[in-house]
Amino acid sequence: MSVVMPQPDAAVLARRESIVAALSAIVPGEGVIASERAMRPYESDGLTAYRALPMVVLLPETTEQVSRVLAYCHREGVKVVPRGAGTSLSGGALPLTDGVLLGMAKFNRIREIDFDNRVVVAEPGVTNLAVTQAVEHAGFYYAPDPSSQIACTIGGNVAENSGGVHCLKYGMTTNNVLGCELVLMTGEIVRIGGKHLDAGGYDLLGIITGSEGLLGVVTEITVRILKKPETARAVLVGFNRSEDAGDCVSRIIGAGIIPGGMEMMDRPAIRATEEFVHAGYPLDVEALLIVELDGPQAEVDHLIARVEAIARDCQAVTCKVSSSEQERLLFWAGRKAAFPAVGRISPDYYCMDGTIPRAKLPLVLKRIRELSEHYGLRVANVFHAGDGNLHPLILYDANKPGELDKTEEFGSEILKLCVDVGGVLTGEHGVGVEKRDLMPAMFSETDLAHQQRLKCAFDEKGLLNPGKVFPKLHRCAELGRMHVHAGRVAFPDIPRF
Amino acid sequence: MMTDTLKPRDGKDVESAVQGALAEGKSLEIAGHGSKRAIGRPAQTDLTLDLSALTGVTLYEPEELVLTARAGTPIAEIEALVASKGQQLAFEPMDYGALLGGWPGAGTVGGALAANLSGPRRIKAGAARDHFLGLTAVSGRGETFKSGGRVVKNVTGYDLCKLIAGSWGTLAAMTELTIKTLPGPETEATVAIVGLDDAAAAQAMIAAMGSSCDVSGAAHLPAAVAASLPLAHAAGGGRALTLLRLEGVAPSVAHRQAALVARVKPFGEVVTIAEASSVPLWQAVRDVLPFAASRAGAEAPLWRVSTAPTQGAALARMVTNATGASCLFDWAGGLIWISVPDARDDAAAPAVRRAVAACGGHATLIRAPAALRAAVEPFEPQDTVLAALTKRVKEGFDPKGVFNTGRMWAGV
Ligand SMILES: Cc1cc2nc3c(=O)[nH]c(=O)nc-3n(C[C@H](O)[C@H](O)[C@H](O)COP(=O)(O)OP(=O)(O)OC[C@H]3O[C@@H](n4cnc5c(N)ncnc54)[C@H](O)[C@@H]3O)c2cc1C
């Protein structure tokens, strides 16, 4: 584990008992978890290589309790780490040993379903899937569908701006959230947006979404729901070369078609998933594409025919159109089980999440193969092909000394490669602690300082989820300082009128 | 007015200009073409920072769905370029030209994003902010920074693009932007219901939006408003018109048109409008032509109200009962353009604010004489916590208040 977390505050740790007592007066009974054994389940999130026991776990039930907890911690200088379901793959919910872990699990009610305005108002601890389940009897659904949707919470989705296989057509979380209630570190409560389409004023909702729990604690969320498409069909296309698969994706989009989902897998990923779920994937191809079209029957039939024609033009070696809903779901079953499938063929795997301009796919895959040989670690690639979001899964064994370090190094090389070809460090999993120290590969000191000043506007003392996202912790006073060079020549040679 | 305008040639010039302004203690008004200059509180600035010389598309890869352009590139030029590849800006940026008495087709891409423009397709495809992928800008600290990237999916760091979208030039001067482009529809058609009152129209639009017909525009023109648009008049014979747009490939549009007609028939007489008339009709709705300056008066007060679709009709009724204003509904009833008879000296602000307080949402006074925009808050007043937060955000990016300060609220 190579990332250094902020130095624990000895003065806070020394006052642990009185702090826990004060917080117990705010959060009732079993909502306070302070024994080491009971806190164990909270010591890490989905990035299990990183673990720490928090000072105390709190499970508040009301916005008022959250507000009082934060106000207390603000006054006393105690750090706070918010947590949803703990499925983050970037360590966003990693506890701090001198901090409160604020679990939002008890915020688990849907407050309102409003079909006429096509919105659901939910508490942050409601799972992603539960939102869809609450409205599907009326033919509606919530579009962003991370593979973790049975477990992950809407609050976590907002914090990470999570995506899913359908976000090429339907957007990420940020495009599907209309409002929220947010408690600032001071305990102040802000409401932003609501059931209307734009919140007015600065787009604070747009920066809270994806802010990884560093700006405030979200206590209520209003999301848009959509009417289910009439029908959906999927095509399974195999290629002998990943270049052909990439070309096919470009040509589909170039033809003006935005599929509901467009996923790619490479040979190792195909093999692992086929052996696991027997989805009927061809095993003798280098790349497999799943292209799903959704909408009215007439549209889907029309577009499927066009996609098939494009695929044939791109040297597809196999091409199978789902002929029933059952078969469509089977096509997806493989892809959706890709992570656990890879988990079966290796003691451990490490999931990466870079985005690249799609045209660079052949180059990036080639470099990953070379790196794989260099590090002596196998890789399986799954790819949200439509939007260029690559998930290389590095296979390793944590019990072999040094192998985790080697894996992390390999992972960093992949992400830097993504940035080098014009892409970014993370497409949907967030920076967290995992990619924190890679941020300078993408951003200058000045870029990061501008982001951090936003943090200062929300949390001046830097008590909310410190040690995440930003490689260096600057004091807000230092960031706020400005050096104006009075006396220098103003507007030297800019054209004036 | 000589020497009042700085016209930088590139990003470096913009940085020098801001540093110069800081050194001299001068304030700057950021402008592209100045086509939306009349929106907001009339703020006093020492100099204009004219970004219209920063032009040119530097990257356009249709198959990657991305386009990068310098901030002063005319939005019309970008729309023409992407159209030549069968693509569009799906957020359908409205053109304020007619409303503000300017010429049509003016405006830069930087201005479009700074105002977070959108159009009728907002209900399906989002606003400019939803298509804003990356930016380079100079903050009020005189420093160049960037955010986002040139790929369509990215969660690396805070999404500063969202913050800058809709900030009306009060936080940073954008120099280069990357936006998402999407395939344009092969064809479109409109299903229209004739003669509904506002409340019935709201119900019809809710029914349409709650169907699988994938409606990409839902607007209601009350009779007097419909009568002012020749195309609407032709379709509805001078009666109110509730418009529902369908876009996509031909077989799909045909199929959905039949389904939608069946769905809305119970509401009243239904007519269909084919592509040739549908396109200009929606453009007229997008640009709010019934309330154009040439028609309503160059300074006739005009409000833009965003509310929950089910509240639109009630909100409009509260305002019209009190003031005799007339309304145009877009976004399935969630966007209301309210034109106030120009005799009023308070732009009907108390009635509008009361209605918004009762029904939810927010209102912006888009058009009014400068004196009125100084007397009446054009942007929705914020509660104290939100106002303080807004101010801290402003100070983070622009501590000395060099940029457009006071345009949105006092000090912001
Ligand atoms: C098997 C698997 C598959 C996955 N697939 C996908 C995928 O397809 N797409 C995708 O985008 N992600 C995916 N993820 C990642 C993860 O599920 C998402 O990031 C998810 O949104 C995290 O939600 P959570 O409730 O578990 O949040 P947590 O992990 O508990 O927390 C995540 C972050 O959110 C903050 N946070 C949580 N709740 C709040 C709140 N109420 N207020 C403020 N901050 C808060 C935390 O501080 C932390 O920084 C996957 C993860 C796993 C394990």
Side-chain angles (χ1 to χ4, degrees):
Chain A
M1 151 164 171
S2 52
V3 174
V4 180
M5 294 306 285
Q7 190 65 35
D9 185 333
V12 167
L13 286 173
R15 286 189 294 134
R16 177 171 187 262
E17 247 171 73
S18 72
I19 291 170
V20 171
L23 291 168
S24 303
I26 302 172
V27 178
E30 60 181 28
V32 181
I33 302 171
S35 81
E36 191 184 316
R37 197 180 49 80
M39 289 198 296
R40 241 341 128 199
Y42 296 92
E43 71 180 348
S44 82
D45 57 20
L47 186 70
T48 50
Y50 294 81
R51 289 165 200 275
L53 269 189
M55 185 164 66
V56 59
V57 175
L58 296 182
L59 305 174
E61 285 172 56
T62 64
T63 300
E64 197 223 329
Q65 287 171 13
V66 172
S67 163
R68 288 176 60 199
V69 166
L70 293 187
Y72 171 84
C73 291
H74 185 251
R75 205 167 52 238
E76 300 295 326
V78 178
K79 297 166 190 148
V80 176
V81 176
R83 177 184 168 107
T87 66
S88 164
L89 293 173
S90 54
L94 175 70
L96 295 168
T97 51
D98 58 341
V100 169
L101 187 78
L102 194 66
M104 300 302 286
K106 291 192 172 181
F107 277 77
N108 58 2
R109 275 159 310 173
I110 289 185
R111 292 194 175 156
E112 192 188 346
I113 297 173
D114 179 346
F115 288 118
D116 281 353
N117 286 311
R118 299 175 310 286
V119 299
V120 167
V121 183
E123 295 180 352
V126 171
T127 63
N128 172 293
L129 190 60
V131 175
T132 289
Q133 284 169 341
V135 297
E136 65 188 351
H137 65 278
F140 285 86
Y141 75 114
Y142 175 59
D145 56 343
S147 314
S148 51
Q149 69 184 147
I150 37 170
C152 67
T153 66
I154 283 289
N157 291 174
V158 167
E160 300 284 9
N161 187 15
S162 301
V165 294
H166 289 103
C167 63
L168 176 67
K169 183 167 176 185
Y170 297 103
M172 312 260 294
T173 302
T174 190
N175 311 109
N176 290 279
V177 175
L178 294 181
C180 77
E181 179 186 75
L182 181 80
V183 185
L184 301 180
M185 192 62 217
T186 52
E188 292 167 298
I189 300 164
V190 211
R191 292 197 74 91
I192 300 164
K195 293 180 180 179
H196 48 293
L197 282 179
D198 50 4
Y202 289 156
D203 190 354
L204 300 180
L205 194 59
I207 44 174
I208 290 159
T209 310
S211 65
E212 307 196 18
L214 270 73
L215 298 184
V217 175
V218 175
T219 47
E220 185 189 282
I221 298 147
T222 303
V223 298
R224 265 153 81 90
I225 50 171
L226 297 178
K227 191 73 183 187
K228 278 225 165 91
E230 241 175 67
T231 187
R233 286 173 82 189
V235 203
L236 201 60
V237 197
F239 298 89
N240 275 339
R241 303 180 330 145
S242 60
E243 285 86 340
D244 295 336
D247 189 36
C248 184
V249 172
S250 291
R251 303 247 303 253
I252 290 170
I253 292 175
I257 302 167
I258 299 291
M262 185 146 55
E263 295 291 310
M264 195 191 293
M265 289 186 268
D266 70 355
R267 186 186 275 271
I270 301 166
R271 184 163 289 276
T273 51
E274 181 57 22
E275 280 165 6
F276 185 33
V277 294
H278 310 292
Y281 292 170
L283 290 173
D284 51 354
V285 295
E286 276 308 314
L288 186 68
L289 260 190
I290 307 174
V291 185
E292 177 162 291
L293 283 309
D294 61 3
Q297 189 77 49
E299 174 174 328
V300 171
D301 291 347
H302 177 79
L303 293 181
I304 284 268
R306 279 167 66 174
V307 167
E308 273 186 290
I310 292 169
R312 270 196 305 274
D313 260 12
C314 295
Q315 327 297 330
V317 289
T318 65
C319 187
K320 193 151 97 188
V321 180
S322 67
S323 54
S324 65
E325 182 62 5
Q326 206 182 358
E327 191 174 16
R328 181 184 75 88
L329 293 174
L330 188 62
F331 286 0
W332 277 112
R335 167 60 186 89
K336 292 211 164 174
F339 293 5
V342 166
R344 284 173 77 237
I345 61 168
S346 169
D348 299 284
Y349 70 90
Y350 185 35
C351 175
M352 310 308 298
D353 169 49
T355 305
I356 55 171
R358 211 180 331 91
K360 305 287 187 198
L361 181 67
L363 171 72
V364 170
L365 289 182
K366 179 169 162 281
R367 276 296 292 147
I368 291 179
R369 270 195 301 273
E370 287 164 11
L371 286 166
S372 164
E373 273 164 35
H374 172 80
Y375 285 101
L377 294 167
R378 290 180 295 162
V379 182
N381 283 294
V382 296
F383 189 42
H384 300 303
D387 42 35
N389 187 196
L390 191 62
H391 291 314
L393 305 169
I394 306 175
L395 280 51
Y396 73 102
D397 182 352
N399 288 328
K400 284 198 191 145
E403 196 148 300
L404 173 60
D405 288 339
K406 209 162 66 168
T407 303
E408 286 192 315
E409 206 181 302
F410 183 4
S412 300
E413 289 299 319
I414 293 176
L415 295 182
K416 281 189 240 164
L417 172 64
C418 291
V419 174
D420 285 346
V421 301
V424 299
L425 292 172
T426 170
E428 58 180 12
H429 293 167
V431 176
V433 290
E434 186 203 19
K435 283 151 258 174
R436 188 191 77 185
D437 294 344
L438 289 174
M439 287 288 268
M442 202 171 137
F443 295 114
S444 71
E445 282 272 332
T446 311
D447 300 337
L448 289 171
H450 278 84
Q451 296 193 25
Q452 276 175 289
R453 290 195 191 95
L454 198 55
K455 162 79 169 163
C456 292
F458 282 81
D459 172 23
E460 210 221 327
K461 293 189 183 175
L463 291 171
L464 204 52
N465 218 0
K468 318 289 169 73
V469 183
F470 297 112
K472 258 193 241 155
L473 289 171
H474 294 284
R475 292 189 171 281
C476 288
E478 176 194 329
L479 284 165
R481 229 171 273 140
M482 221 176 110
H483 312 280
V484 174
H485 308 285
R488 57 178 270 175
V489 190
F491 322 121
D493 60 347
I494 304 164
R496 300 182 71 146
F497 300 92
Chain B
M1 295 296 278
M2 291 293 282
T3 76
D4 274 349
T5 296
L6 296 169
K7 198 164 180 178
R9 293 150 300 193
D10 54 21
K12 198 78 215 134
D13 269 2
V14 176
E15 199 180 273
S16 311
V18 178
Q19 286 171 0
L22 285 167
E24 297 212 336
K26 293 231 155 62
S27 59
L28 299 170
E29 179 204 21
I30 304 174
H33 290 158
S35 64
K36 293 173 276 293
R37 185 173 257 164
I39 298 174
R41 299 167 86 241
Q44 291 294 331
T45 46
D46 302 316
L47 292 160
T48 295
L49 184 62
D50 175 349
L51 300 180
S52 66
L54 267 60
T55 58
V57 171
T58 53
L59 174 143
Y60 176 37
E61 293 178 357
E63 285 157 10
E64 303 272 347
L65 308 172
V66 293
L67 179 145
T68 303
R70 297 201 183 87
T73 310
I75 191 88
E77 188 183 311
I78 291 175
E79 292 198 286
L81 173 66
V82 301
S84 74
K85 298 282 179 194
Q87 293 198 326
Q88 65 177 2
L89 304 182
F91 53 98
E92 207 177 7
M94 73 172 292
D95 181 347
Y96 269 109
L99 281 186
L100 300 176
W103 61 96
T108 62
V109 65
L113 270 297
N116 190 27
L117 293 186
S118 61
R121 207 181 289 110
R122 172 79 171 92
I123 51 176
K124 172 171 146 72
R129 52 94 78 181
D130 294 292
H131 301 259
F132 195 1
L133 304 175
L135 69 82
T136 306
V138 178
S139 71
R141 299 172 166 271
E143 294 171 347
T144 300
F145 69 98
K146 62 181 184 314
S147 178
R150 52 143 297 186
V151 289
V152 295
K153 197 171 176 197
N154 176 15
V155 297
T156 322
Y158 296 147
D159 194 350
L160 298 185
C161 295
K162 296 270 186 317
L163 180 69
I164 305 297
S167 66
W168 294 93
T170 60
L171 297 175
M174 289 183 260
T175 53
E176 191 170 77
L177 304 78
T178 300
I179 54 178
K180 185 173 176 180
T181 61
L182 280 166
E186 206 171 277
T187 185
E188 69 171 75
T190 294
V191 171
I193 314 158
V194 183
L196 301 186
D197 64 27
D198 298 351
Q203 287 308 313
M205 290 191 284
I206 285 164
M209 294 308 298
S211 75
S212 303
C213 293
D214 200 14
V215 171
S216 71
H220 174 65
L221 317 179
V225 172
S228 72
L229 287 179
L231 282 168
H233 194 270
R239 289 171 291 163
L241 214 53
T242 309
L243 305 169
L244 304 165
R245 179 173 64 181
L246 302 168
E247 296 176 298
V249 292
S252 173
V253 171
H255 169 92
R256 284 180 287 145
Q257 180 173 318
L260 188 57
V261 167
R263 175 107 182 187
V264 296
K265 242 198 177 108
F267 290 93
E269 182 193 333
V270 176
V271 296
T272 55
I273 302 172
E275 184 178 14
S277 298
S278 178
V279 171
L281 187 53
W282 281 100
Q283 201 164 329
V285 170
R286 184 194 75 181
D287 298 342
V288 206
L289 295 189
F291 301 148
S294 58
R295 231 190 278 269
E299 301 200 308
L302 180 78
W303 290 86
R304 178 185 183 276
V305 180
S306 177
T307 189
T310 52
Q311 296 295 317
L315 191 151
R317 193 167 351 99
M318 285 181 71
V319 178
T320 50
N321 281 352
T323 64
S326 63
C327 301
L328 184 159
F329 301 83
D330 197 353
W331 298 358
L335 175 69
I336 318 165
W337 294 95
I338 305 177
S339 173
V340 179
D342 49 357
R344 308 191 61 95
D345 56 8
D346 59 3
V352 172
R353 298 280 177 230
R354 243 193 329 272
V356 168
C359 300
H362 65 95
T364 312
L365 179 58
I366 292 292
R367 181 179 65 201
L372 252 183
R373 284 183 283 120
V376 168
E377 287 289 342
F379 286 88
E380 186 73 28
Q382 298 180 308
D383 67 44
T384 47
V385 179
L386 194 54
L389 181 58
T390 299
K391 212 157 202 164
R392 293 197 297 272
V393 171
K394 164 80 175 173
E395 283 162 8
F397 282 79
D398 181 16
K400 303 280 177 202
V402 255
F403 288 144
N404 289 13
T405 298
R407 184 172 191 183
M408 295 180 77
W409 296 282
V412 177

